[in-house]
Amino acid sequence: MKRILVTGGAGFLGSHLCEKLLNENNEILCVDNFYTGSRKNIHHLLDSKNFELLRHDITHPLFVEVDQIYNLACPASPVHYQFDPVQTTKTSVLGAINMLGLAKRLKIPILQASTSEVYGDPEVHPQPESYRGNVNTIGPRACYDEGKRCAETLFFDYYRQHDLDIKIIRIFNTYGPNMNPEDGRVVSNFIMQALRGEDITIYGDGKQTRSFCYVSDLIDGMVKMMNSESGFTGPVNIGNPTEFTMLELAEQIIELTGSKSQLVFKELPEDDPMQRKPIITIAQDKLSWMPKVGLNEGLMHAIQYFKKNIE
């Protein structure tokens, strides 16, 4: 049995990770400041004797004894990370420094949940891990994009300078139960608008693309990365390589919900990427990982979850 620290453990991804690790007979220390995380996501875990919840902001040092660290803490939707951009950068950078310091003291492996946003609005498509990105350092998304890029830098500096066992994954668009219905991300937006019978908001012409990974697939890849051989650092793309336009996603959600919603088009936000699709060859070769859940099946699970939020 390992004692595992999950920062951001009450968030969308963190809550699923905590549940999976708990089911694998580990002790879990879930740390969250509840800026975007929700107690509702982990309520069903609180009665377990192997689950501990600690309210804490990782921009401040944390002194605990654990065997592994998954660092997921950071608001991940534009609505939330742009609300307090300075704090977003602090969470990525100071949070990384504090968690790396803890891992260094304990001599334990640490995984960083990075993001496909490090690629910015990519000029290379699809995106391999070797692509260095096209990020606007002074734009409204930079607090998140550059914060995550700096965290990757810190992880590799600790690896080179202190021989720390680091793991980095770059997460592409992920969806499923426990998403915040009002977080402004495209899947939750479209589903909530469709269920409410509201117009579905398409930014730009709707031809920009994303690749959508169901949450159980993403968490499986994350755990495989943590448990991969020592010295394999990544970064590794974890995402579904099947690409969809925003129009295709909206039409599929309308069909699955039976909604009468109409599409309305609005101006594309600044620095919104036109294309996003991972190359997952490294994940396939090194982790024996591939996504299993198709978009239609995953959307049905997500729709059922969001229906309960409306009820």
Side-chain angles (χ1 to χ4, degrees):
M1 179 182 284
K2 292 187 179 76
R3 181 165 166 79
I4 302 175
L5 167 60
V6 179
T7 74
F12 164 43
L13 296 181
S15 58
H16 285 278
L17 177 62
C18 285
E19 183 170 9
K20 179 178 176 65
L21 295 173
L22 197 62
N23 289 339
E24 292 178 350
N25 198 34
N26 296 292
E27 287 186 3
I28 308 303
L29 174 57
C30 170
V31 169
D32 207 295
N33 68 353
F34 293 101
Y35 175 61
T36 57
S38 170
R39 288 181 181 273
K40 181 179 68 173
N41 290 341
I42 53 168
H43 182 76
H44 61 297
L45 307 178
L46 293 173
D47 289 337
S48 170
K49 63 180 174 52
N50 291 328
F51 183 82
E52 180 182 352
L53 173 62
L54 175 64
R55 184 166 193 150
H56 179 82
D57 187 329
I58 65 163
T59 61
H60 303 286
L62 180 63
F63 302 99
V64 294
E65 302 296 319
V66 292
D67 301 305
Q68 291 181 340
I69 301 171
Y70 287 83
N71 187 36
L72 278 65
C74 190
S77 75
V79 168
H80 291 138
Y81 68 64
Q82 291 176 13
F83 178 75
D84 189 347
V86 172
Q87 185 62 27
T88 296
T89 304
K90 283 182 176 180
T91 301
S92 286
V93 178
L94 295 179
I97 290 170
N98 288 328
M99 291 304 104
L100 286 163
L102 178 60
K104 177 191 167 190
R105 178 176 71 81
L106 297 174
K107 297 181 174 60
I108 60 171
I110 178 169
L111 181 141
Q112 168 69 1
S114 191
T115 172
S116 61
E117 295 293 336
V118 300
Y119 300 123
D121 188 5
E123 295 174 334
V124 171
H125 189 75
Q127 294 82 55
E129 289 86 350
S130 59
Y131 178 51
R132 295 182 180 180
N134 176 39
V135 175
N136 177 3
T137 64
I138 58 172
R141 301 169 70 103
C143 58
Y144 184 69
D145 301 1
E146 294 289 43
K148 289 288 192 177
R149 284 162 69 95
C150 186
E152 288 195 12
T153 300
L154 285 162
F155 266 67
F156 270 91
D157 285 340
Y158 269 76
Y159 167 68
R160 287 183 286 258
Q161 190 171 337
H162 302 297
D163 197 29
L164 192 62
D165 187 3
I166 67 162
K167 309 285 182 182
I168 296 177
I169 61 169
R170 291 175 176 164
I171 299 171
F172 282 69
N173 290 63
T174 305
Y175 69 99
N178 294 2
M179 288 185 84
N180 183 333
E182 310 300 334
D183 70 1
R185 287 191 261 198
V186 64
V187 173
S188 49
N189 262 7
F190 284 4
I191 291 177
M192 292 303 290
Q193 288 171 336
L195 291 175
R196 290 168 174 160
E198 300 169 353
D199 289 339
I200 289 183
T201 307
I202 304 277
Y203 293 99
D205 60 7
K207 293 179 182 176
Q208 64 270 39
T209 67
R210 296 292 184 273
S211 303
F212 299 101
C213 186
Y214 189 66
V215 62
S216 61
D217 285 333
L218 186 284
I219 297 301
D220 181 48
M222 187 181 293
V223 173
K224 284 188 172 186
M225 181 62 182
M226 173 60 94
N227 296 322
S228 63
E229 61 184 336
S230 181
F232 176 55
T233 61
V236 177
N237 289 337
I238 301 291
N240 194 317
T242 306
E243 195 174 11
F244 295 90
T245 68
M246 298 300 95
L247 284 173
E248 288 172 330
L249 176 67
E251 288 162 358
Q252 192 157 347
I253 287 172
I254 287 172
E255 182 180 341
L256 290 173
T257 56
S259 176
K260 297 190 180 345
S261 295
Q262 301 297 309
L263 304 183
V264 295
F265 294 84
K266 295 192 175 180
E267 187 176 348
L268 194 67
E270 184 179 353
D271 297 331
D272 192 57
M274 288 304 297
Q275 295 175 306
R276 195 58 69 67
K277 174 183 175 179
I279 292 176
I280 61 169
T281 307
I282 294 177
Q284 289 172 299
D285 292 346
K286 292 286 190 178
L287 306 178
S288 299
W289 179 85
M290 274 195 68
K292 301 172 183 174
V293 181
L295 185 63
N296 197 72
E297 178 187 350
L299 285 176
M300 286 303 299
H301 292 310
I303 289 166
Q304 290 305 313
Y305 172 77
F306 285 121
K307 274 183 178 177
K308 293 176 185 174
N309 277 276
I310 288 180
E311 294 163 4

